[in-house]
Amino acid sequence: MSNLKHKIPDIFLLISILLFMLACSQRVYCTNYDCGSEWSGLAVLISGIFGIFIGGPCLTWLANPIILISWITYRKTKFSLITSILAFLIGVSFVFFDEIIVDEAGNIREITGYKIGYYLWILSFLTLIIGHVIKLKSKENN
């Protein structure tokens, strides 16, 4: 039973990664022109790196490499917890933007809603945070 107790935080890591992968297969957001028919999570993940040079809501893409660092450094609990919280905060900041550039021509559209992909993406960060909290609490109890 004690062995299972130590594996529970690792299960949260796995769930976090799976939620992220699932988010990549789903629609992310709606604009006043389109409600995500072309913006799957994978398309946003792949094209998002170019958006960081534009700024604004595109900067939230940086949550992706930060959560990757958090997964890689998962055994270093405190560092990984900090990076997962940072990824979560950056990801959530997307809701504070009203407009986004939607193509390489620089067309701007109003963000009108969020789809399941966005929520799964945020949930993947939150799941990792919960796993870290459980891991830290179990270390305190030992």
Side-chain angles (χ1 to χ4, degrees), residues 43-122:
V44 172
L45 178 66
I46 292 169
S47 65
I49 193 165
F50 303 109
I52 63 171
F53 302 109
I54 297 167
C58 298
L59 288 176
T60 60
W61 179 88
L62 290 171
N64 296 315
I66 293 171
I67 200 65
L68 178 63
I69 291 167
S70 189
W71 292 333
I72 292 169
T73 62
Y74 186 73
R75 299 286 171 227
K76 298 175 183 171
T77 305
K78 290 181 183 177
F79 178 78
S80 184
L81 173 61
I82 291 167
T83 54
S84 59
I85 291 171
L86 183 59
F88 174 76
L89 293 174
I90 291 170
V92 168
S93 74
F94 185 73
V95 301
F96 296 106
F97 293 96
D98 297 326
E99 298 176 327
I100 190 164
I101 294 178
V102 294
D103 58 28
E104 61 279 350
N107 291 314
I108 297 173
R109 302 279 184 236
E110 179 184 353
I111 299 170
T112 59
Y114 308 95
K115 303 293 272 181
I116 189 73
Y118 173 73
Y119 297 111
L120 290 169
W121 186 60
I122 295 299

Side-chain angles (χ1 to χ4, degrees), residues 25-44:
S25 72
Q26 302 299 310
R27 304 294 177 222
V28 180
Y29 60 86
C30 300
T31 66
N32 57 346
Y33 176 74
D34 180 23
C35 197
S37 63
E38 61 190 82
W39 288 108
S40 72
L42 185 58
V44 172

